[in-house]
Amino acid sequence: MTSMTFWMLAATFLPVAAALLLLFVPKENRKVFEWGSLLAMLVSFAISVPFFFAYDRGSAAVQWAYAAPWISALGVKFSVGMDGISLLLWLLTTFIGPIGILCSWEAIQERRKEYYIWMLVLQTAMLGVFITQDMFLFYLFWEVMLVPMYFLIGIWGGPQKLYAAIKLFLYTLAGSVLMLVGILAIYFLQKKVTGGYDFSIASFQAMAPVIAQQAKNWQILVALAFFVGFAIKVPMFPFHTWLPDAHVQAPTAGSVILAGILLKMGTYGFLRFLLPILPDATKQLMPWFIALALIGIIYGALVAMIQKDMKKLVAYSSVSHLGLCMLGMFALNPWGLKGSLFQMINHGISTPGLFLAVAVVYDRRHTRMIADFGGLSKSMPVYATIFMIMTMSSIGLPLLNGFIGEGVILMGTFQAYPWAAVVATTGIILGAAYMLWMFQRVMFGPISKVNEEMSDMTTREVLTFAPLVVAAFWIGIYPSPLMKIMDAPVAKLVEQVQPGFFKAEALAEKQAAAAKLGMKGNAAPAHHEAAPTEHGAPAHEAPAPEHGTGHGGGH
């Protein structure tokens, strides 16, 4: 175990260690739970920051890897490590954690001890999902993180909290069981082929050629088992119906964590498991997947547009935005996959910011109805400014993070499915419409006396928003560091899903260059092996016609 691996594990398990210590603190010590949990989250984040700079951006391999025997009879190891995909989501999780704690200080007034302990346990479970390199360990963390979220909604949620918590639990559990069936199907196939058991993610991905030789129906059924498990978590249409209830009933920190991190578990599962392990079945089912993504984009936007509750509007916007992430992913090319991953990060910044903005006015008025507000920019100018930044981040204003993600997704989608990119653009336009309409109704127009007396944001609330605002501008202005982390692992993933993709792309570029030269009066090379000479003309170039015919030999 290297020192960096040790610190990776320290950042991951520090929150649950703090939770164990808080068990021994009397429940009356409110400040200990608030400051103790915040300190644990901040230290975890501080430990994680050096990994952003230490990551080798030229390598697609799993870095800081460590494996130790655990359940040898089943082929289970305690195996951890990260590549660029998991690193970015792991960093996002440590970044959002302190914000979730800080926004809870005033909102949570009862059973604080249990609340902060569950928040810390949830943090470790989410971080564990991203560092694990063993399918058994992944499934363990995947299931564990459901329990704290169930209690956070079921105990500290709104009037219909039990309904929302049970709905979340049943949906997610159903998806998890289906995913487990898919995992076991590949696990026992592996035993039949290799003669041994191995739960490592690398061994599952190495099974892709063997899986491709199985019966088509078997492949499709296993792919659907994974798909449903991850699609519920995203959530994709029509598996999304648990999300609005969970968001609306959850406490503010629950909505922040749910939108910022938990929804990314589903998209991460697609990238890590479904695409590289079952590429052939995925491509067979791709028309259906793309259709569901496009329906989610448009449907989520249209339903968001008619919402009267601000929190429910933001919840449905997640269905639309994550549908866009899935569309980019299903393009199966570098731009689409990078845009999808980039937009996961962006959604984890802008949407928590919107939920926090809704919470600010709810704490003062105890209502989230858009019609109850108006003219708040007069009484709450600081709040109006921050709400505007988060809104513009969500709809993709240039210089903010959302613009980069949406642009790259559309580039990748247009390369693969131009018609789908056009439909997705319609969803983006609708997204701008409903977000700006909400902002206009809340912030401008006549102001009532009760709204005029509302106090502006406190220092604690401003500090809660500050990291999100800084991140939104930083990513929007200088996205290159994040893109470079994605390059190598995304290229590896593309090659796993579409072998020979980059060779075909290079060949197409050579042919296009040859055709361009031909249009200038030069003959194109007869075969793709022909390479340009040092003067830029193709090798073995046929002599140009004595009198240009206008066709240029570009055959």
Side-chain angles (χ1 to χ4, degrees):
M1 180 185 293
T2 65
S3 60
M4 290 298 287
T5 305
F6 170 81
W7 287 114
M8 176 182 70
L9 292 172
T12 300
F13 289 98
L14 178 62
V16 76
L20 292 174
L21 290 175
L22 290 179
L23 283 173
F24 300 98
V25 177
K27 62 181 181 181
E28 294 80 13
N29 296 331
R30 168 184 175 177
K31 293 297 182 182
V32 174
F33 296 112
E34 293 176 348
W35 282 100
S37 55
L38 178 61
L39 181 62
M41 293 287 198
L42 287 173
V43 172
S44 176
F45 173 64
I47 294 172
S48 71
V49 170
F51 286 84
F52 179 82
F53 302 98
Y55 181 77
D56 181 2
R57 287 156 172 77
S59 172
V62 174
Q63 300 180 28
W64 311 301
Y66 171 75
W70 186 16
I71 311 175
S72 300
L74 300 179
V76 177
K77 296 179 180 178
F78 181 81
S79 180
V80 295
M82 292 187 288
D83 67 356
I85 295 172
S86 48
L87 171 64
L88 289 175
L89 293 170
W90 186 74
L91 289 170
L92 177 65
T93 307
T94 63
F95 175 76
I96 294 294
I99 296 173
I101 295 295
L102 194 58
C103 73
S104 304
W105 280 12
E106 296 299 329
I108 303 302
Q109 297 295 328
E110 59 180 17
R111 304 182 71 171
R112 295 186 182 90
K113 177 176 181 176
E114 296 95 324
Y115 176 85
Y116 290 108
I117 286 174
W118 281 126
M119 285 287 288
L120 292 166
V121 172
L122 176 61
Q123 181 77 348
T124 289
M126 295 187 298
L127 291 171
V129 166
F130 296 126
I131 69 166
T132 181
Q133 297 299 316
D134 184 274
M135 291 294 285
F136 186 92
L137 194 59
F138 166 81
Y139 191 79
L140 181 65
F141 280 119
W142 178 277
E143 288 294 277
V144 167
M145 70 183 176
L146 175 61
V147 177
M149 184 53 70
Y150 171 81
F151 284 112
L152 288 171
I153 296 175
I155 297 175
W156 295 276
Q160 295 180 308
K161 56 190 177 184
L162 287 178
Y163 170 77
I166 292 171
K167 194 173 183 180
L168 163 69
F169 193 91
L170 291 178
Y171 264 77
T172 309
L173 184 63
S176 299
V177 171
L178 283 173
M179 181 177 67
L180 180 61
V181 171
I183 292 172
L184 292 177
I186 298 172
Y187 178 71
F188 288 115
L189 175 65
Q190 181 190 63
K191 166 66 174 177
K192 187 185 297 185
V193 173
T194 66
Y197 291 119
D198 190 352
F199 263 114
S200 70
I201 292 175
S203 70
F204 270 60
Q205 293 183 354
M207 285 290 293
V210 176
I211 294 171
Q213 297 171 5
Q214 306 305 305
K216 294 297 181 185
N217 288 342
W218 187 91
Q219 293 184 53
I220 289 175
L221 286 174
V222 175
L224 286 175
F226 278 101
F227 172 79
V228 174
F230 297 137
I232 288 174
K233 207 78 168 185
V234 170
M236 290 182 68
F237 178 91
F239 308 103
H240 67 283
T241 56
W242 63 269
L243 180 67
D245 292 313
H247 267 315
V248 170
Q249 299 304 320
T252 299
S255 295
V256 167
I257 299 295
L258 194 61
I261 311 300
L262 280 184
L263 304 188
K264 311 306 179 295
M265 301 296 176
T267 51
Y268 176 74
F270 279 102
L271 291 172
R272 181 63 73 222
F273 304 110
L274 181 63
L275 297 185
I277 296 174
L278 293 143
D280 287 3
T282 300
K283 284 184 275 191
Q284 288 184 52
L285 294 167
M286 194 57 70
W288 296 98
F289 294 171
I290 292 171
L292 292 178
L294 289 173
I295 292 171
I297 293 170
I298 304 300
Y299 167 84
L302 290 175
V303 177
M305 191 173 290
I306 63 170
Q307 296 304 314
K308 299 177 181 179
D309 185 322
M310 284 192 286
K311 202 172 186 183
K312 190 169 280 192
L313 184 150
V314 177
Y316 275 108
S317 76
S318 291
V319 176
S320 183
H321 290 158
L322 286 164
L324 188 65
C325 288
M326 297 310 302
L327 181 64
M329 188 186 301
F330 293 145
L332 300 181
N333 57 37
W335 284 118
L337 286 165
K338 281 197 284 189
S340 175
L341 180 56
F342 200 90
Q343 196 65 357
M344 291 179 213
I345 306 298
N346 293 335
H347 182 267
I349 293 170
S350 59
T351 306
L354 290 172
F355 279 119
L356 288 170
V358 174
V360 169
V361 291
Y362 180 78
D363 289 342
R364 288 157 172 76
R365 287 285 315 274
H366 300 289
T367 176
R368 294 186 297 261
M369 296 296 119
I370 296 173
D372 292 335
F373 298 101
L376 291 187
S377 60
K378 299 173 185 176
S379 59
M380 305 176 70
V382 175
Y383 171 71
T385 302
I386 292 177
F387 197 175
M388 180 186 69
I389 293 171
M390 291 293 100
T391 301
M392 296 305 173
S393 167
S394 179
I395 66 178
L397 184 76
L399 297 183
L400 288 168
N401 55 335
F403 174 74
I404 306 295
E406 290 176 355
V408 176
I409 285 175
L410 291 178
M411 287 169 60
T413 305
F414 193 85
Q415 286 181 338
Y417 313 103
W419 62 272
V422 174
V423 176
T425 303
T426 306
I428 294 173
I429 295 170
L430 290 173
Y434 64 71
M435 291 303 300
L436 290 175
W437 191 29
M438 176 186 71
F439 185 80
Q440 181 265 327
R441 287 181 287 171
V442 171
M443 293 299 164
F444 302 112
I447 184 170
S448 64
K449 184 177 180 181
V450 64
N451 289 330
E452 194 170 10
E453 293 174 352
M454 288 174 63
S455 59
D456 209 342
M457 295 175 66
T458 64
T459 302
R460 180 188 60 83
E461 290 171 334
V462 172
L463 289 175
T464 305
F465 278 97
L468 299 173
V469 172
V470 171
F473 277 108
W474 171 57
I475 295 174
I477 295 171
Y478 188 47
S480 179
L482 296 185
M483 286 291 187
K484 287 180 180 177
I485 288 179
M486 301 176 195
D487 284 342
V490 164
K492 177 184 176 182
L493 180 58
V494 170
E495 197 62 30
Q496 286 175 311
V497 180
Q498 301 202 67
F501 175 89
F502 293 102
K503 288 183 180 178
E505 192 177 54
L507 172 59
E509 289 177 358
K510 287 182 180 180
Q511 291 173 333
K516 189 174 181 181
L517 287 171
M519 291 299 290
K520 293 179 180 177
N522 298 315
H527 303 287
H528 70 269
E529 290 83 6
T533 66
E534 63 181 6
H535 300 295
H540 315 300
E541 183 182 60
E546 185 173 351
H547 303 288
T549 62
H551 298 292
H555 54 280

